[in-house]
Amino acid sequence: MNRPERIFLTGSNGIVGRHVATALRAQHPQCGLICNTVDLTNLTETTEAIKAAGPLDLVIHLAALVPVDDVVSNPALGYAVNAGGTINLLSALASCERETGVSARLLYCSSSHVYAPQAEPIREDAPTTPASVYGKTKLMGEEAARSICAETERSLCVARLFSIHDPAQTGSYLRPALTTRLADADPAKVFELHGAGSLRDFLPAKTAAQHLVDLAFSSFDGVVNVGSGKAQTVAEFAQSLAPFPLNIKPIGTDNALVPDVSLLKSLLGEVND
């Protein structure tokens, strides 16, 4: 693609969004970065924001309702943000681009939750059978983006993030939940851990953000998994955060949700965490 001059970023207040904004400003200071500040579930506000931004070359769409508890307790809001917000964003872009004649490329940030857990590393052409409401909302957003972009001949990259983590994460994510428990854990006692043997691909959010920026600036259209390519058990991840050896007692059932990152490597070169 031609070098973008104006970039519109949604979800810049999130963990990944903050890292993406930092990477964009550091690596592409010549680009004008506009961070969205309006509610994407409101079409009027979204259209006004896109119009005010002026002609755009690239849109990086990260905004989503992610916390499991929030989506489960209010699935309608999950669909409104993750699918409806994507549709509104594309509608606003189309409306404003009719006046400017400039069509922005779209990087849509999706999730590994569009897949069901499976034993082998997951390729991009694997069936999308989400096991969670969150996964269903992200898949609906994907499908809407693909259909609309195909009809309007808009360049689209769908990046499916796997298990990201960051020291600044809060709420119900795995890392902050473990950090909170470890702060009060007794080294002499058993540490019960649900799904201790489950395999995940734990990628630092900063690295994930870098991959998203690189993919956004590439010319690749299609779906790509974003991960480190290194499988790790939940128990191993917990131990990496602990200041002392853990006496882990596995509870619950285990599964695997790790990506095949061959395509990512072919697009960006060797990926590292």
Side-chain angles (χ1 to χ4, degrees), residues 11-272:
S12 59
N13 289 327
I15 292 294
V16 175
R18 293 200 292 270
H19 286 302
V20 165
T22 298
L24 286 170
R25 291 182 177 118
Q27 294 174 233
H28 307 283
Q30 77 284 0
C31 295
L33 176 61
I34 303 100
C35 293
N36 179 59
T37 58
V38 304
D39 179 3
L40 293 179
T41 65
N42 185 310
L43 178 56
T44 300
E45 289 186 7
T46 304
T47 303
E48 290 174 351
I50 294 294
K51 186 175 182 179
L56 297 168
D57 302 292
L58 173 64
V59 175
I60 300 178
H61 181 33
L62 310 178
L65 186 67
V66 179
V68 173
D69 292 345
D70 291 350
V71 178
V72 170
S73 65
N74 194 347
L77 181 60
Y79 280 103
V81 174
N82 300 345
T86 301
I87 294 169
N88 284 347
L89 179 62
L90 285 165
S91 176
L93 284 168
S95 176
C96 295
E97 286 170 354
R98 281 193 289 270
E99 299 178 12
T100 66
V102 178
S103 180
R105 170 172 165 79
L106 177 66
L107 184 289
Y108 175 86
C109 184
S110 188
S111 166
S112 63
H113 289 273
V114 302
Y115 302 115
Q118 49 193 280
E120 299 299 321
I122 301 170
R123 291 171 49 91
E124 288 83 358
D125 57 3
T128 47
T129 51
S132 67
V133 177
Y134 170 67
K136 293 174 183 176
T137 67
K138 291 301 291 182
L139 182 59
M140 183 175 286
E142 268 193 34
E143 292 170 342
R146 273 197 297 272
S147 177
I148 296 169
C149 289
E151 291 294 329
T152 56
E153 299 183 341
R154 184 184 305 281
S155 176
L156 169 67
C157 177
V158 175
R160 291 173 177 163
L161 283 187
F162 277 67
S163 301
I164 63 164
H165 67 97
D166 191 88
Q169 276 179 317
T170 59
S172 59
Y173 300 103
L174 180 60
R175 178 163 179 164
L178 286 171
T179 300
T180 298
R181 288 188 61 200
L182 289 168
D184 298 324
D186 184 341
K189 293 184 178 180
V190 167
F191 188 84
E192 291 189 346
L193 186 59
H194 184 83
S198 293
L199 284 174
R200 295 291 184 268
D201 184 315
F202 293 105
L203 183 68
K206 183 177 181 179
T207 306
Q210 183 62 66
H211 293 336
L212 293 178
V213 170
D214 291 342
L215 287 169
F217 274 72
S218 76
S219 59
F220 175 75
D221 282 9
V223 178
V224 58
N225 291 331
V226 177
S228 70
K230 301 172 185 176
Q232 188 178 32
T233 66
V234 171
E236 290 169 336
F237 181 66
Q239 184 59 73
S240 73
L241 301 176
F244 51 82
L246 295 174
N247 180 16
I248 293 175
K249 177 183 177 181
I251 58 175
T253 57
D254 299 331
N255 58 40
L257 190 68
V258 298
D260 180 321
V261 295
S262 300
L263 177 57
L264 183 70
K265 289 182 177 181
S266 72
L267 294 171
L268 304 184
E270 191 67 28
V271 295
N272 299 294

